Amino acid sequence: LPIDQLEPYLDARLTAPERQAVAEIIAARVATRKPAAYLTHRAYIQGIPFYVDERVIVPRSYIGELLFSDLFGGDDFTLVEDPTAVESVLDLCTGSGCLAILAASVFPEARIDAVDLSAEALEVARRNVDDSGFADRITLHQGDLFKPLKNRRYDVILTNPPYVAADAMEDLPPEFRHEPAMALAGGGREGLDIVRRILKEAPKHLTPEGGLLCEFGSGREVLEAEV
């Protein structure tokens, strides 16, 4: 069902087996503390459904929201004035492949590369890419950040890398402990080791007018002090 539309479903009634299925999911959510997305195998970004399981982090990157904002093709302040002019996009640390798929929608003329270190995560990404209708424009790569891409350059690089600090990893609530640790822990005391690598290596993979959009946590002051 549409995630934000109740009509015309307000008058609908569940069958007994459907009610039983809902009750079992609620019971499992309480007993196991698994994220609901793993129990239903469904997560949404911008109203678009994606298949997920414990092989990938639950999609929740705010980059998905930014992609559909005025920052891309807006009339005032914008990062990309004409999304149709973007020819190449990289989604680094793609996980379930959700950002690569959203990028294929926002940049209709672009070819998209999506990279992840986890072979299991890429199995989930392949399922989502095949279901997206954009399989002819999205290529999945397994490897460590930019390594499988050799010397390729991109107009836009999107990345939601692991960036949780070491002490924060120890204090995560049970829900997060069901997610792959490698998709959360960013390395180093501040959790910024992977982010630092991306910032260092990205210029070699950007076109002259290209740009990087990188999500990270609470380490902005630390990164700015290192520039």
Side-chain angles (χ1 to χ4, degrees):
L1 300 181
I3 194 170
D4 57 356
Q5 178 184 346
L6 295 179
E7 302 81 6
Y9 308 105
L10 281 172
D11 296 328
R13 294 293 182 269
L14 298 181
T15 65
E18 289 170 340
R19 289 196 294 270
Q20 179 64 30
V22 171
E24 290 174 355
I25 289 175
I26 294 173
R29 176 71 180 91
V30 173
T32 68
R33 298 289 293 273
K34 282 187 178 183
Y38 289 157
L39 297 173
T40 63
H41 297 301
R42 186 65 58 90
Y44 293 82
I45 297 184
Q46 291 297 302
I48 299 174
F50 296 97
Y51 174 87
V52 294
D53 59 31
E54 286 90 338
R55 292 174 290 180
V56 296
I57 194 172
V58 176
R60 50 180 170 262
S61 174
Y62 65 81
I63 292 177
E65 184 174 339
L66 294 178
L67 282 172
F68 285 83
S69 72
D70 286 342
L71 291 178
F72 296 90
D75 295 328
D76 298 318
F77 175 76
T78 181
L79 298 177
V80 177
E81 292 184 2
D82 182 8
T84 64
V86 173
E87 297 179 353
S88 56
V89 176
L90 170 61
D91 175 20
L92 210 55
C93 306
T94 191
S96 62
C98 58
L99 292 184
I101 292 167
L102 294 177
S105 175
V106 172
F107 306 110
E109 303 300 324
R111 298 196 64 83
I112 292 103
D113 284 332
V115 179
D116 205 284
L117 183 60
S118 168
E120 290 188 337
L122 289 175
E123 292 174 358
V124 176
R126 169 54 58 196
R127 176 170 179 165
N128 284 318
V129 168
D130 288 344
D131 290 342
S132 71
F134 298 121
D136 60 328
R137 293 200 286 124
I138 300 176
T139 303
L140 302 176
H141 304 267
Q142 182 185 2
D144 183 15
L145 299 181
F146 296 99
K147 288 184 179 180
L149 304 171
K150 302 187 183 304
N151 297 320
R152 297 181 194 177
R153 292 179 178 267
Y154 300 90
D155 297 324
V156 175
I157 297 178
L158 307 171
T159 180
N160 176 26
Y163 56 74
V164 180
D167 56 349
M169 285 291 296
E170 296 177 0
D171 295 332
L172 288 176
E175 281 77 1
F176 288 91
R177 298 190 180 280
H178 289 283
E179 300 188 66
M182 67 179 294
L184 295 169
R189 184 173 60 85
E190 307 101 337
L192 296 175
D193 285 2
I194 295 176
V195 174
R196 288 187 179 99
R197 287 182 55 200
I198 292 172
L199 296 179
K200 180 180 179 180
E201 298 174 29
K204 296 182 293 185
H205 295 277
L206 286 168
T207 59
E209 300 298 324
L212 166 71
L213 184 58
C214 177
E215 176 176 337
F216 58 90
S218 59
R220 176 174 178 175
E221 294 80 6
V222 175
L223 293 175
E224 287 182 342
E226 295 175 354
V227 174

